[in-house]
Amino acid sequence: MKHKIAILSDIHGNVTALRTVLNQLQSENITDYWYLGDLLTPGPGVNEVFDRLNDLNTTVFIRGNWDDIVVHVLADNEQYLDFDNDGYVHVARMIEYVSDTITAANFEQLKNAPTYQNLSINGLNLQVSHNFKLKNSGHELLPYEIQGNFDELTDDQSIDMAFYGHTHHQVMRTSSNDQLIVNPGSIGEPYTRWQKFADNLRAEYAIMEIDSTGLANVSFKRASYDINDELEIAKQAKLPYLELYDYLLRTGKASTHDIKSLTKYNQQYDYRSDVVKFFNRLRKKHF
């Protein structure tokens, strides 16, 4: 059987970008959809992004690092958030937003999703993860990092091809042994440091074709979407840090580590008080 697989990653709640990509894929005769993680935050999409992927033949569904944070805090009540740190307040407020929105069924799906998956198609052995198999955060697999990191990703010598997301860059390269490595880029938050490419913030994804002989062809795709439509959805959903989401969509630059900006909005909207009350309620629920 010939497979034509849409490889999607890092939606980050950007429902408008996801809608556009899926509409573009309707003419591609896709047989399988793979999702490589980071479904949620900072965008307004929560249940719709689950529903749209679940309406497709999504045969791979991986949990990303932001998904992990949501799961660990809401399911395990991990108390590592420091409410005197504006970066942690930001994370907590986004988790509160997800908690107020996500259905129980979708949360269970996220909680039970693996961090990696191995599969075989037409004789090709394939590995799919968000970052490393057992470490789905960190910057080791940015495209300009050392070769040894990519060899670590493909340390299983039975693997012919490895797929990962997380870095928000479209990548095709090989291990030192010539195992093929592919990153489809980010649907919701494409990013580049190169100034001439900085305005090209179209949603990114990839398509892989595997024929009966097991040969794979990979093509990188982009889709233009209306940022203003996404911001209107965010506004109607009362998304926290709306101004920073606007900045992200227009520049590609996330404010996750911009403590000065986070402090400004935490004070302006009194987000610290919100999250302290939320986590007190959460603690009572767990105990």
Side-chain angles (χ1 to χ4, degrees):
M1 174 184 174
K2 182 177 180 179
H3 290 258
K4 193 173 187 181
I5 302 168
I7 308 171
L8 316 175
S9 192
D10 293 273
I11 296 170
H12 284 284
N14 188 335
V15 67
T16 307
L18 177 62
R19 290 172 184 172
T20 302
V21 166
L22 295 182
N23 286 339
Q24 191 164 288
L25 283 165
Q26 286 182 351
S27 62
E28 292 284 357
N29 298 315
I30 299 297
T31 60
D32 311 79
Y33 289 80
W34 292 358
Y35 187 66
L36 277 56
D38 273 5
L39 204 68
L40 306 173
T41 77
V46 180
N47 295 311
E48 183 177 339
V49 290
F50 282 94
D51 296 343
R52 285 186 174 264
L53 291 177
N54 289 337
D55 284 342
L56 305 167
N57 185 33
T58 302
T59 54
V60 172
F61 186 93
I62 300 296
R63 191 173 73 244
N65 59 302
W66 274 97
D67 306 326
D68 255 353
I69 292 172
V70 171
V71 167
H72 289 322
V73 171
L74 295 183
D76 303 331
N77 194 31
E78 287 196 0
Q79 294 301 307
Y80 63 85
L81 296 175
D82 175 4
F83 298 131
D84 292 325
N85 181 308
D86 283 288
Y88 281 112
V89 170
H90 168 249
V91 171
R93 185 64 186 89
M94 295 311 303
I95 292 174
E96 181 183 4
Y97 172 80
V98 171
S99 176
D100 289 342
T101 310
I102 195 169
T103 67
N106 288 337
F107 182 70
E108 284 299 306
Q109 179 179 348
L110 193 68
K111 184 169 69 172
N112 293 325
T115 58
Y116 75 96
Q117 184 173 339
N118 289 348
L119 60 162
S120 181
I121 299 177
N122 294 357
L124 280 179
N125 295 323
L126 311 169
Q127 174 184 291
V128 186
S129 58
H130 183 64
N131 192 52
F132 290 117
K133 290 186 293 183
L134 300 179
K135 180 179 181 290
N136 62 9
S137 61
H139 297 156
E140 297 92 339
L141 295 177
L142 284 164
Y144 34 79
E145 290 298 334
I146 62 172
Q147 180 65 42
N149 294 346
F150 295 90
D151 292 344
E152 182 180 346
L153 176 68
T154 54
D155 61 355
D156 181 347
Q157 294 303 295
S158 69
I159 296 298
D160 301 305
M161 300 179 67
F163 302 83
Y164 75 103
H166 183 55
T167 65
H168 301 196
H169 288 74
Q170 291 181 321
V171 175
M172 181 183 287
R173 61 179 295 161
T174 69
S175 71
S176 294
N177 292 321
D178 268 356
Q179 297 152 291
L180 192 61
I181 299 170
V182 174
N183 188 321
S186 172
I187 289 177
E189 292 186 24
Y191 172 73
T192 178
R193 294 193 308 189
W194 193 252
Q195 193 58 42
K196 285 187 178 179
F197 303 151
D199 292 334
N200 189 359
L201 296 175
R202 294 176 290 169
E204 300 172 334
Y205 63 102
I207 296 175
M208 177 174 66
E209 297 180 72
I210 304 177
D211 64 20
S212 59
T213 67
L215 298 176
N217 297 313
V218 178
S219 55
F220 292 112
K221 303 287 186 177
R222 290 177 180 258
S224 298
Y225 69 96
D226 193 326
I227 289 174
N228 291 323
D229 286 350
E230 175 66 6
L231 290 171
E232 182 59 29
I233 292 172
K235 182 178 179 181
Q236 293 301 319
K238 296 181 170 56
L239 181 74
Y241 304 97
L242 178 62
E243 298 89 343
L244 296 181
Y245 192 50
D246 185 316
Y247 180 74
L248 168 68
L249 295 183
R250 298 188 190 281
T251 67
K253 298 177 182 178
S255 300
T256 310
H257 302 292
D258 182 355
I259 300 301
K260 183 177 180 180
S261 293
L262 294 177
T263 300
K264 172 186 174 182
Y265 291 108
N266 288 342
Q267 292 176 349
Q268 180 176 344
Y269 296 105
D270 200 19
Y271 284 148
R272 182 182 181 279
S273 294
D274 285 349
V275 298
V276 168
K277 292 175 184 176
F278 169 69
F279 276 83
N280 284 337
R281 295 194 303 271
L282 188 64
R283 190 176 296 112
K284 290 178 182 178
K285 178 181 176 182
H286 281 277
F287 296 102

